[in-house]
Amino acid sequence: MRDLTPPLIEARGISRRFGSKPDLAAKIALRLGLAKPQPIVHAIDNVSLSIRRGEVVGLVGESGCGKSTLGRVIAGIIPPSEGQVIWQGRDRESLNPKERHAAALATQMIFQNPMAALNPRMSIEDIVSEAPRTHGLVPKGGRQDYVDRYLRLAGFDPTMKGRYPHQFSGGQRQRVNIARALAVQPDFLVCDESVAALDVSIQAQVINLFMELRERLDLTYLFVSHDLGVVEHISDRVAIMYLGRIVEEAPVEEVFLRSNHPYTQALLAEVPRIELTKRRFKAVEGELPSPLNPPNGCHFHPRCPFAMDRCRIEVPLKREVAPGHLSACHLNDQPTV
Amino acid sequence: MSALLEVRNLATEFGAKLGLRAVNDVSFRLERGKVLGLVGESGSGKSVTGFSIMGLLDRPGRVVDGQILFDGTDLATLSDAEMRRLRGKRIAMVFQDPMMTLNPVLTVGTQMIEAVRAHDPVSKDVARQRSRDALGLVGIPSPDERLSAYPHEFSGGMRQRVAIAIALLHHPDLIIADEPTTALDVTIQSQIISEFQKLAEQSNTAVIWITHDLAIVSRLADDIAVMYAGRLVETGSVEEVLGDPRHPYTRGLIMSVPSQNHRGEPLRQIPGMTPAINRLPPGCSFRTRCEQATDACAAMPDLMSEGSRAFRCFHPVARIDA
Amino acid sequence: MTIAPLPVMPEAPPEPGRLRRQLQEFSRSPGAVTGLAVLIIIIVLAVFASVISPQDPYDLTQLDILDGRLPPGSESFSGLVYHLGTDSQGRDILSGILYGLRTSLTVGILSAFAAAIIGTTVGLIAAYIGGRTENALMRLVDLQLSFPTILMALMMLAILGKGVLNVVIALIIAEWATYARTVRATALVEREKEYIEAARSFRLPGWRILFRHLLPNCLAPVIVIATMQVARAIGLEATLSFLGLGASVTEPSLGMLISNGYQYLLTGLYWISFFPGIALLVTIVSINLVGDRLRDVLNPRNT
Ligand SMILES: Nc1ncnc2c1ncn2[C@@H]1O[C@H](COP(=O)(O)OP(=O)(O)OP(=O)(O)O)[C@@H](O)[C@H]1O
Ligand SMILES: Nc1ncnc2c1ncn2[C@@H]1O[C@H](COP(=O)(O)OP(=O)(O)OP(=O)(O)O)[C@@H](O)[C@H]1O
Ligand code: SF4
Ligand code: SF4
Ligand SMILES: [Mg+2]
Ligand SMILES: [Mg+2]
């Protein structure tokens, strides 16, 4: 069983808030009642997630629930407001500069918008070779070979490496992004909606590429997506987020066959599948609440058909409902429903 | 029975000199109360088809060939003024971005009342009443207060519902919905589709639902039309086309959807990428990516009918195996 | 380490390069093309002033006080025709203008260029580092921008004294803040883009992210402002010289020439001020025409 391998990377009690600290002038204005306090966005709230070596963890949830923020914190692009990220058993903050450098390079991110992630003024070759050259990964005189190798690995024709990003289609640009990330020889990739911007037929190509690379290079993925179909296909384990918290976490078959949390169940009712008969669309009632002032207690209670008084006051904790299957819902404390 | 909308050999071009054909030889028919799903990849000409029917093409674009018979009249020959009288009244469009319908500096109420009175000479009070009812119908809570709100005070999903409410104000015979839920969340998306389904059924409205999402179309539409590089490559009922695709492209699309594949196995993929519209290979446009291609495909295949369905391929595929 | 080759299309979408597209876009405005043509002529004239000019207006030995204040078209004893007349010292106005253009353009370009470098660097650093540094730098910029430019330049010249070089320095000090503010605003937007985040996650050194990634993508507004600033600086230099604070009498900048003839304007000796004035106007207008069009073409929404 995979379960025995220690986590490669682990988020422990991560919170991340956005919103600027008031400066002196703002403080005075606040005192005098001339200004309203700056709203604070609680993008993620006390989230823990561990990812084992070689595993693909899918992270799903609606827009604005904090998937990208969690991905960025784990990838080390932004620091958490609270909590720790543990890399191979050690707190990333406690590493010495050299180890921290290595850990940072070993974790890379593939972004949603393949164009925005490439510097429009640099050629493909420069884009791919920049980081490895800076970090001395390229043998002397071997730059061309090095670049070609990684471009080919990502399914990009190296003869076109002299061109610029705007000369390529979305799928090709995403391959360049992948080649660039691979070129620093990472162990762990955070893919933030990496196929969402691509056409259906190109999406399949890039997903296949990700899966092939995983086998060849022994990669570990955190795969952020709102597309349940994609997540179901490629993940070993799935974490479901709602408004800044992970509400359920389980192996992929468990989630799709025996989902526990009411939100997951609502979400799964809408997995896009091709069906040959016309069918009524059912809907989860209610609007997405705002992360500016999330509801008290269980964040899902305003939309939950099973909400009880307790849900409005008390935050449900994640607990194991089956081996490896965690869910955060008060219903699990009830004797039997 | 005569169709509500019959498009015959529609061709739309952009660019004065180049003659960039974004839509080429597109024909389909749609009856009252039916939903047609128009699917295809980005740039395949879905939106341009919709805009051509609506008479809303951007300046260099124009319909260069074909007929758009709406209830017997050819829309392609109508003047701008005549078209304006139809638009919003008998044909309405819902865009991917609701802000294409909504004006950010006017309240929702003002815009809806204007929309009512543009076609019906009723008093402001009656128009307000109707606007309120329409908002209620698409599931916006407390519609009375919402009328005096500005678009930015609504969430994305609610804005799209307002846009749908506006499209439904005059109980049009035909609604063209251009990816109205693509920018929205899964749960909000199903809310909107379910409203739409109900409303269209109740008022016997015909709908063209443009999307690249086969799963949505399979549950929502009666008929389906697949576009590739400006042309229709396959049409028919949802059951026929999705259950038993004949065109290699349709088949490839269906098979590349993750839920049509086994976990842990690579997705079946269509090789290559969509060529740019001005770089199409001569003959069948799908030729560069098609596994079935032969020398015969160097000529452009016609849309061949087979009962109620049609496809544009010399070597149609047999029944799907998975 | 190879993978079953994935299908790759050999052809890229046939988009013309950005530069070519922008050139096409630029040439669509007749005003801007005319402006550019005139500007090129002016620059050529200025660069070759010493070759083209009938007379060297700096060389006092070539001047003859007896030729003073001759109307356009007059002929000197030595046979030289003064096409645009002469000033009170017998200086050929045409030569004066050519040399004046040279001085004015040098002042304009030099000051705009130096101010652009300083301002851009400050703006970039402020945006990239953020926090206290950004606050401090931007307060300085605000302070600077709250002074009228001309006042700032006058103050600087009062301290530094007259002379072309001092005018350049004064203009740099008066103008750098404009760049700093604009570049910071652009860089703040660019900084949030994912390619900068990517560069960070690749642990590239800060200077590299600043100058290789951020800078090239913030240059468009700098180019536009710099073009406009050249015109502004030429105008300012003329104003300063006109006020007697700029170039010294022996360095005939355009402002100097206008100032020299100003006192005679009402006595009918119009040409001493008039022709340099026209030259100044044409230069500034053509630079502005080009700058305006550049602003449209380089607008990020178009690229
Ligand atoms: N830099 C930032 N400054 C302020 N707020 C932010 C910032 N980044 C994210 N947020 C807020 O944090 C919340 C979570 O954002 P995040 O991008 O993580 O969501 P997401 O789940 O990735 O959504 P999507 O599916 O739309 O990408 C949102 O409300 C967002 O507005
Ligand atoms: N205003 C325009 N000027 C020139 N070409 C245009 C214009 N609008 C669309 N086109 C071209 O027409 C073709 C079809 O575009 P269309 O917008 O219909 O695609 P689509 O199928 O709706 O794609 P998407 O899924 O991305 O919306 C494209 O190749 C596009 O470049
Ligand atoms: S804790 Fe309560 S509100 Fe939250 S999901 Fe469970 S039942 Fe619903
Ligand atoms: S006509 Fe030929 S190339 Fe085109 S889809 Fe059919 S088999 Fe493929
Ligand atoms: Mg995101
Ligand atoms: Mg479209």
Side-chain angles (χ1 to χ4, degrees):
Chain A
M1 275 284 280
R2 273 224 159 93
D3 290 65
L4 299 174
T5 32
L8 176 69
I9 191 163
E10 189 183 351
R12 270 196 206 150
I14 298 276
S15 296
R16 171 73 205 201
R17 291 177 289 272
F18 291 105
S20 47
K21 267 193 230 141
D23 61 6
L24 188 63
K27 270 187 197 146
I28 295 171
L30 268 177
R31 269 292 153 70
L32 300 176
L34 295 173
K36 278 190 233 160
Q38 278 272 327
I40 305 276
V41 181
H42 297 264
I44 40 180
D45 179 15
N46 193 14
V47 164
S48 299
L49 180 68
S50 74
I51 301 169
R52 289 183 289 272
R53 187 179 280 284
E55 197 178 29
V56 178
V57 174
L59 185 61
V60 232
E62 283 165 286
S63 174
C65 72
K67 304 183 296 294
S68 301
T69 308
L70 181 58
R72 281 176 157 80
V73 170
I74 290 183
I77 290 176
I78 55 173
S81 310
E82 271 154 38
Q84 307 156 305
V85 179
I86 315 286
W87 173 252
Q88 296 190 327
R90 293 173 60 198
D91 186 348
R92 209 153 56 184
E93 291 304 306
S94 73
L95 300 176
N96 68 37
K98 217 175 138 195
E99 293 167 325
R100 198 185 292 198
H101 180 89
L105 273 190
T107 311
Q108 287 304 330
M109 188 145 172
I110 311 281
F111 297 90
Q112 166 166 7
N113 184 340
M115 186 61 192
L118 300 174
N119 184 342
R121 319 239 165 203
M122 283 169 78
S123 71
I124 304 299
E125 176 174 2
D126 287 344
I127 287 172
V128 175
S129 68
E130 185 180 26
R133 268 197 308 155
T134 312
H135 302 305
L137 297 171
V138 187
K140 263 214 152 32
R143 168 174 166 180
Q144 301 290 335
D145 289 344
Y146 195 86
V147 171
D148 290 2
R149 173 149 50 114
Y150 282 99
L151 283 174
R152 225 173 278 128
L153 201 58
F156 187 94
D157 180 358
T159 58
M160 296 191 288
K161 66 186 172 190
R163 301 194 190 171
Y164 288 80
H166 74 267
Q167 294 175 298
F168 295 99
S169 70
Q172 287 172 314
R173 283 177 201 149
Q174 198 58 294
R175 289 175 206 275
V176 173
N177 276 306
I178 296 171
R180 174 179 63 175
L182 295 180
V184 295
Q185 302 168 6
D187 296 315
F188 175 52
L189 290 185
V190 176
C191 307
D192 186 4
E193 307 270 11
S194 307
V195 295
L198 305 178
D199 257 327
V200 203
S201 72
I202 308 299
Q203 230 178 50
Q205 295 174 4
V206 175
I207 291 174
N208 284 346
L209 174 63
F210 275 125
M211 299 324 289
E212 254 179 281
L213 291 171
R214 173 198 184 185
E215 294 295 317
R216 303 241 161 181
L217 308 179
D218 194 21
L219 291 173
T220 305
Y221 291 121
L222 177 64
F223 206 94
V224 178
S225 178
H226 62 259
D227 187 334
L228 286 163
V230 171
V231 166
E232 181 184 13
H233 184 78
I234 74 164
S235 318
D236 299 316
R237 219 147 50 83
V238 180
I240 317 272
M241 261 185 113
Y242 188 77
L243 213 60
R245 295 183 186 148
I246 290 185
V247 296
E248 185 161 6
E249 195 187 323
V252 66
E253 300 86 0
E254 278 279 311
V255 168
F256 283 86
L257 293 177
R258 285 178 292 279
S259 57
N260 175 279
H261 197 277
Y263 174 66
T264 314
Q265 290 165 354
L267 204 62
L268 291 185
E270 299 306 329
V271 190
R273 291 186 199 285
I274 296 179
E275 294 164 26
L276 297 184
T277 43
K278 219 167 158 172
R279 193 158 70 90
R280 173 101 315 127
F281 277 77
K282 277 205 324 276
V284 192
E285 293 298 317
E287 292 285 326
L288 279 175
S290 145
L292 279 176
N293 49 4
N296 285 334
C298 171
H299 282 171
F300 188 53
H301 81 249
R303 302 170 79 189
C304 179
F306 310 109
M308 316 166 270
D309 288 342
R310 188 180 171 197
C311 307
R312 284 177 256 284
I313 307 155
E314 199 183 320
V315 181
L317 297 176
K318 266 202 289 192
R319 55 166 61 227
E320 199 158 47
V321 295
H325 187 158
L326 304 172
S327 174
C329 172
H330 290 313
L331 285 178
N332 295 319
D333 294 351
Q334 307 294 94
T336 29
V337 193
Chain B
M1 185 179 153
S2 83
L4 173 71
L5 177 74
E6 182 163 3
V7 175
R8 286 191 198 148
N9 310 101
L10 176 70
T12 303
E13 284 187 358
F14 284 98
K17 285 165 290 182
L18 291 168
L20 217 59
R21 282 222 167 176
V23 168
N24 203 348
D25 193 14
V26 163
S27 310
F28 59 83
R29 36 187 291 142
L30 180 60
E31 274 153 34
R32 273 175 208 280
K34 295 282 183 195
V35 181
L36 171 76
L38 188 57
V39 299
E41 278 171 82
S42 184
S44 58
K46 307 182 296 291
S47 300
V48 174
T49 306
F51 290 140
S52 303
I53 296 170
M54 290 295 290
L56 283 178
L57 286 170
D58 278 341
R59 199 71 282 282
R62 67 205 175 283
V63 173
V64 292
D65 198 7
Q67 293 159 304
I68 305 165
L69 298 172
F70 175 73
D71 217 4
T73 18
D74 185 358
L75 299 185
T77 61
L78 291 190
S79 69
D80 281 356
E82 288 168 315
M83 206 56 218
R84 226 171 291 130
R85 236 169 291 141
L86 271 181
R87 220 166 25 223
K89 174 85 181 153
R90 298 198 58 202
I91 315 180
M93 189 152 181
V94 181
F95 302 92
Q96 174 168 356
D97 179 3
M99 292 316 279
M100 277 182 75
T101 311
L102 299 174
N103 183 336
V105 299
L106 298 177
T107 65
V108 164
T110 314
Q111 300 183 52
M112 292 188 75
I113 291 169
E114 260 174 37
V116 173
R117 283 158 50 100
H119 295 290
D120 286 344
V122 294
S123 74
K124 275 211 167 130
D125 283 340
V126 175
R128 171 176 294 274
Q129 178 77 28
R130 271 173 61 182
S131 311
R132 200 187 54 201
D133 294 347
L135 283 188
L137 218 58
V138 292
I140 289 187
S142 45
D144 259 323
E145 289 118 65
R146 284 309 195 158
L147 276 181
S148 50
Y150 289 89
H152 69 86
E153 297 173 47
F154 290 79
S155 72
M158 286 177 48
R159 261 180 240 161
Q160 192 58 282
R161 271 187 251 181
V162 172
I164 292 173
I166 292 179
L168 291 168
L169 272 178
H170 294 279
H171 304 287
D173 298 313
L174 172 66
I175 295 184
I176 301 178
D178 188 1
E179 316 216 25
T181 59
T182 310
L184 303 176
D185 274 310
V186 217
T187 56
I188 310 294
Q189 167 171 311
S190 12
Q191 283 175 11
I192 286 186
I193 297 180
S194 88
E195 305 291 353
F196 215 96
Q197 244 179 344
K198 256 188 280 174
L199 297 168
E201 258 165 46
Q202 281 161 11
S203 49
N204 206 24
T205 306
V207 178
I208 299 180
W209 192 279
I210 298 178
T211 180
H212 57 257
D213 191 333
L214 290 177
I216 291 182
V217 164
S218 76
R219 281 171 60 175
L220 179 66
D222 301 288
D223 292 325
I224 188 168
V226 184
M227 285 190 86
Y228 186 79
R231 284 189 162 83
L232 283 187
V233 294
E234 184 154 13
T235 61
S237 73
V238 164
E239 210 181 336
E240 287 166 337
V241 175
L242 294 185
D244 174 27
R246 307 305 307 276
H247 195 280
Y249 174 66
T250 318
R251 185 177 125 111
L253 267 192
I254 296 170
M255 302 223 304
S256 63
V257 174
S259 62
Q260 297 288 309
N261 286 266
H262 293 292
R263 262 183 51 73
E265 280 173 22
L267 298 173
R268 286 163 292 190
Q269 62 186 38
I270 303 178
M273 60 186 214
T274 323
I277 204 107
N278 53 350
R279 284 244 175 155
L280 296 180
C284 175
S285 318
F286 189 56
R287 194 151 65 96
T288 46
R289 305 172 72 187
C290 183
E291 285 170 0
Q292 248 107 308
T294 61
D295 291 345
C297 309
M300 171 59 73
D302 285 328
L303 208 56
M304 299 169 226
S305 330
E306 187 186 273
S308 58
R309 65 189 301 184
F311 43 84
R312 191 188 286 282
C313 176
F314 291 119
H315 312 291
V317 288
R319 178 159 274 283
I320 203 163
D321 33 35
Chain C
M1 202 164 44
T2 44
I3 265 188
L6 277 153
V8 212
M9 288 292 280
E11 49 186 329
E15 260 180 89
R18 190 205 310 265
L19 193 65
R20 239 181 77 200
R21 223 170 48 226
Q22 287 172 347
L23 279 178
Q24 278 172 4
E25 190 68 27
F26 184 91
S27 60
R28 219 166 282 159
S29 155
V33 174
T34 319
L36 186 63
V38 173
L39 195 59
I40 290 174
I41 296 173
I42 289 175
I43 291 174
V44 169
L45 287 178
V47 169
F48 295 104
S50 52
V51 186
I52 305 169
S53 299
Q55 188 190 57
D56 181 354
Y58 287 99
D59 187 357
L60 292 176
T61 60
Q62 288 191 19
L63 302 186
D64 192 337
I65 200 85
L66 293 177
D67 282 348
R69 299 173 211 162
L70 293 179
S74 309
E75 201 173 317
S76 76
F77 294 120
S78 53
L80 189 68
V81 180
Y82 299 121
H83 290 286
L84 299 181
T86 62
D87 71 359
S88 57
Q89 268 130 37
R91 192 181 277 130
D92 176 30
I93 297 287
L94 179 63
S95 309
I97 289 177
L98 292 177
Y99 274 79
L101 275 176
R102 191 167 77 175
T103 315
S104 293
L105 280 175
T106 313
V107 169
I109 293 173
L110 212 61
S111 65
F113 196 70
I117 292 180
I118 296 172
T120 305
T121 314
V122 170
L124 272 184
I125 289 176
Y128 187 70
I129 296 179
R132 288 242 173 86
T133 321
E134 178 175 17
N135 273 335
L137 287 174
M138 285 302 121
R139 285 297 112 78
L140 188 64
V141 167
D142 287 342
L143 189 71
Q144 173 90 66
L145 288 176
S146 59
F147 277 100
T149 317
I150 181 81
L151 197 65
M152 195 73 208
L154 282 173
M155 272 162 49
M156 287 322 299
L157 283 178
I159 299 169
L160 297 171
K162 286 170 73 164
V164 171
L165 189 65
N166 289 343
V167 172
V168 171
I169 295 175
L171 288 177
I172 295 172
I173 293 174
E175 296 288 9
W176 68 273
T178 320
Y179 296 91
R181 173 181 278 186
T182 313
V183 168
R184 171 176 164 268
T186 318
L188 279 182
V189 174
E190 288 294 320
R191 194 187 64 173
E192 296 304 320
K193 294 218 177 130
E194 289 165 347
Y195 70 90
I196 298 292
E197 265 186 2
R200 286 228 187 97
S201 81
F202 285 112
R203 302 224 113 201
L204 299 177
W207 61 265
R208 200 178 173 100
I209 300 182
L210 260 182
F211 293 105
R212 251 332 278 258
H213 294 264
L214 211 46
L215 177 62
N217 290 293
C218 296
L219 272 185
V222 174
I223 293 171
V224 175
I225 305 179
T227 318
M228 300 301 213
Q229 287 297 8
V230 172
R232 254 172 78 92
I234 291 175
L236 266 173
E237 184 277 333
T239 314
L240 292 172
S241 297
F242 187 81
L243 294 175
L245 287 164
S248 55
V249 195
T250 49
E251 302 164 305
S253 82
L254 290 176
M256 197 66 232
L257 292 175
I258 297 171
S259 155
N260 281 345
Y262 179 63
Q263 44 188 317
Y264 305 107
L265 209 54
L266 294 178
T267 63
L269 309 178
Y270 67 92
W271 61 88
I272 307 181
S273 279
F274 181 73
F275 291 115
I278 293 291
L280 182 69
L281 189 74
V282 169
T283 312
I284 292 183
V285 167
S286 55
I287 295 179
N288 278 329
L289 281 174
V290 172
D292 263 343
R293 188 65 191 161
L294 277 181
R295 187 200 309 269
D296 294 343
V297 171
L298 294 180
N299 183 336
R301 266 173 299 165
N302 294 341
T303 48

